[in-house]
Amino acid sequence: MIDKLSWIAVYPELVLLVMACLIALVDLGVKSPRRTLTYALTLLTLGAVAVMEASYALGGQTFYGFGNMVVVDPMGSWLKCFSSIALMITVVYGRPYAADRDMLRGGEFFTLSLFALLGMFVMISGHNFLVLYMGLELMTLCSYALVALRRDDAQATEAAMKYFVLGALASGFLLYGLSMLYGATGSLNINEVFNAIASRQVKHQVLVFGLVFIVAGLAFKLGAVPFHMWLPDVYQGAPTAVTLIIGGAPQLAAFAMTIRLLVEGLLPLAIDWQQMLALMAIGSLVIGNLAAVAQTNLKRMLAFSTISQMGFLLLGLLAGVVNGNQLHTESAYGAAMFYALTYVLTTLAAFGIILLLARAGHESEEITDLSGLNQRSPLYAGVMAMSMFSLAGLPPLVGFYAKLGVLQALISSGQTSYLVLAVFAVFMSLIGAFYYLRVIKVMYFDAPHSHNAQPISAPADAQIVLAINGALLLVLGIAPSSLMTLCAQSINSIVNSLGV
């Protein structure tokens, strides 16, 4: 018999499931090409689940459901809340773009987006290997379909095929690693796996063998080197609205899954997975920043930028344990969570500009398409400039404090190797500043091209959300303490549950 607490744990997921099915049914009878009714229902659903998750997070309690297969804790609830808000913003930005390209004709855009979010929720709350994997597959299968939504676009179809093949390979890696851990520990429950490994009665070689495959699978979902090869092609080939769906909320789900597996389940093996994360972080910073310098396509440049940003995120994750001692878990993992949240916020603003500049028959995705943007729309140019400055890590924008938090976590460890990594990260950030500043130079100092002479028009709701999105980059940069504290407290609940 399933107790009442189990159902309370999954109320938001049930709301998402019911509303996604309802919206699919409503779409069958909707004739409007812009799908106004289903658009409103989607926003209402996302707002409702965001409020529900925020109420769970503010409660500050941790409880389990369905035989400890699902966990509700402050970290998970906040990440689900922010994922819902991120998808809500994405839908607002993406609806005009999708309508102009006939992507709303069947209604799949909204339904698949909600099912993808449901998969993210399961990933974030999963406390069992199979539950985590089910959530991952639900999210990725919806993502494959969304990338291929423009059936008559050869580039989108090619991107979907690449994403599907490489995604299936990464899922196989992850599943094989989880099966190895199950064989070694005899349990699929994350807490039981942690206790079995901490008892030191499990053969270390088998655990490390499984760990390698798990880290490989997680690196693919994060887009870290050397499992980054899908990211530029999918970002560029997918419809821009779908690119933002993939590059926004799923990053929070991937971060949560990484915390669930590596910290809650495999923290006794930290000395092993830290070495892998360090190598991936270095590779991501080098390849991401150097490759982005050579790009002329804005979406492809932002894809390589994402790879370099994930390098910084990995640095925060590896700084939580020093010589096998959990001395800096709260500050380091809290800094990593703060970094993930601010990265998603900045990405939403950057891709929002690309979406709102696009028009029927024209994709505004080349860097040269932003020429003279300040003359055409100071608001759009200002928001894009703040996004670029934030990604580059310049004060007083929020990206500066995100990078600073990770660097402080590395330096406070007192390890020479971590200090070297911090210096290296700063050096690569200086290289990265070049391609971000190049975008700003094009917007403010280049003359508009003839094909960019048309006036910019966008729905009022999208412009309001864009203004708020840009303002948050500055406000959270000036006063980051509240969000930083929220992240640290959320991680602290995880650490306390482990008893370390």
Side-chain angles (χ1 to χ4, degrees):
M1 181 178 178
I2 301 175
D3 59 11
K4 182 179 179 181
L5 206 59
S6 296
W7 291 115
I8 294 174
V10 295
Y11 274 165
E13 286 82 356
L14 291 174
V15 171
L16 268 181
L17 177 61
V18 171
M19 290 303 296
C21 295
L22 177 61
I23 288 171
L25 292 174
V26 170
D27 260 323
L28 296 176
V30 173
K31 303 301 181 183
S32 169
R34 301 188 76 84
R35 304 282 170 172
T36 305
L37 177 59
T38 49
Y39 170 68
L41 286 174
T42 301
L43 294 185
L44 180 64
T45 302
L46 293 172
V49 294
V51 170
M52 292 173 69
E53 292 296 349
S55 66
Y56 284 0
L58 292 172
Q61 295 181 337
T62 299
F63 57 91
Y64 300 85
F66 297 97
N68 289 341
M69 291 194 296
V70 175
V71 60
V72 175
D73 55 17
M75 184 198 78
S77 296
W78 280 125
L79 288 176
K80 287 193 283 186
C81 174
F82 291 130
S83 296
S84 302
I85 295 172
L87 185 58
M88 187 187 304
I89 295 172
T90 301
V91 169
V92 172
Y93 290 155
R95 181 193 173 213
Y97 176 96
D100 288 342
R101 285 148 186 82
D102 206 21
M103 292 169 59
L104 301 182
R105 60 185 173 184
E108 302 97 334
F109 182 77
F110 298 123
T111 304
L112 287 173
S113 298
L114 289 179
F115 275 117
L117 183 64
L118 177 60
M120 297 176 217
F121 276 26
V122 176
M123 287 172 64
I124 293 171
S125 286
H127 209 250
N128 178 284
F129 288 162
L130 289 182
V131 174
L132 286 170
Y133 187 76
M134 283 170 48
L136 177 66
E137 288 303 293
L138 177 57
M139 182 193 75
T140 51
L141 288 173
C142 293
S143 300
Y144 302 151
L146 283 167
V147 173
L149 203 54
R150 292 186 70 184
R151 304 171 183 84
D152 55 349
D153 188 332
Q155 193 176 28
T157 304
E158 179 187 352
M161 286 296 295
K162 290 178 179 177
Y163 191 20
F164 174 75
V165 172
L166 294 174
L169 183 65
S171 295
F173 282 162
L174 182 63
L175 188 60
Y176 187 64
L178 294 176
S179 68
M180 291 294 295
L181 286 184
Y182 171 66
T185 62
S187 177
L188 295 170
N189 182 274
I190 289 178
N191 276 347
E192 293 176 5
V193 169
F194 177 90
N195 293 331
I197 297 173
S199 69
R200 301 186 182 277
Q201 296 179 357
V202 182
K203 197 170 183 179
H204 186 72
Q205 290 86 344
V206 178
L207 294 174
V208 172
F209 190 75
L211 178 64
V212 170
F213 284 96
I214 289 174
V215 171
L218 293 174
F220 178 91
K221 301 307 174 186
L222 289 169
V225 172
F227 305 97
H228 66 289
M229 65 289 292
W230 65 277
L231 206 63
D233 290 339
V234 172
Y235 268 45
Q236 183 180 1
T240 307
V242 177
T243 301
L244 185 51
I245 291 175
I246 294 172
Q251 297 297 85
L252 301 180
F255 169 79
M257 189 173 182
T258 303
I259 291 292
R260 298 290 184 211
L261 289 175
L262 297 187
V263 177
E264 290 193 58
L266 304 176
L267 194 61
L269 298 177
I271 196 169
D272 296 300
W273 54 255
Q274 278 179 312
Q275 299 173 46
M276 290 183 267
L277 295 190
L279 291 175
M280 290 192 299
I282 293 170
S284 298
L285 288 168
V286 172
I287 293 177
N289 283 308
L290 294 182
V293 170
Q295 304 306 314
T296 58
N297 183 280
L298 187 55
K299 287 166 65 177
R300 198 171 183 88
M301 187 204 83
L302 288 173
F304 283 107
S305 165
T306 296
I307 294 168
S308 69
Q309 301 291 336
M310 290 304 104
F312 252 98
L313 181 67
L314 293 176
L315 290 178
L317 289 172
L318 68 88
V321 180
V322 180
N323 293 330
N325 298 314
Q326 293 88 29
L327 301 176
H328 305 281
T329 49
E330 183 177 327
S331 60
Y333 299 145
M337 181 176 170
F338 182 81
Y339 198 97
L341 292 173
T342 55
Y343 161 76
V344 170
L345 179 66
T346 309
T347 298
L348 289 169
F351 275 100
I353 296 295
I354 299 174
L355 283 167
L356 297 181
L357 288 178
R359 55 188 184 273
H362 176 69
E363 300 285 340
S364 185
E365 60 182 49
E366 297 294 326
I367 294 177
T368 54
D369 289 330
L370 300 181
S371 299
L373 181 59
N374 184 54
Q375 301 174 32
R376 301 164 61 206
S377 174
L379 171 64
Y380 284 23
V383 172
M384 192 63 161
M386 286 195 291
S387 300
M388 295 298 104
F389 282 135
S390 182
L391 288 171
L394 298 179
L397 296 162
V398 70
F400 168 76
Y401 291 97
K403 284 182 167 57
L404 181 63
V406 171
L407 294 174
Q408 285 178 331
L410 285 169
I411 295 171
S412 64
S413 67
Q415 295 292 298
T416 304
S417 58
Y418 286 3
L419 179 60
V420 171
L421 283 175
V423 173
F424 175 76
V426 171
F427 175 72
M428 295 311 301
S429 293
L430 293 176
I431 295 176
F434 167 78
Y435 55 85
Y436 295 125
L437 294 176
R438 179 178 59 184
V439 174
I440 296 172
K441 174 259 182 189
V442 168
M443 291 191 299
Y444 283 90
F445 300 106
D446 287 9
H449 289 179
S450 57
H451 65 272
N452 290 336
Q454 296 185 14
I456 299 174
S457 62
D461 58 347
Q463 295 196 54
I464 292 171
V465 170
L466 181 68
I468 295 172
N469 196 168
L472 283 174
L473 296 179
L474 182 60
V475 171
L476 290 175
I478 296 173
S481 58
S482 296
L483 185 57
M484 284 181 165
T485 302
L486 182 149
C487 294
Q489 291 176 347
S490 299
I491 293 297
N492 190 46
S493 68
I494 298 289
V495 176
N496 290 339
S497 70
L498 296 176
V500 296

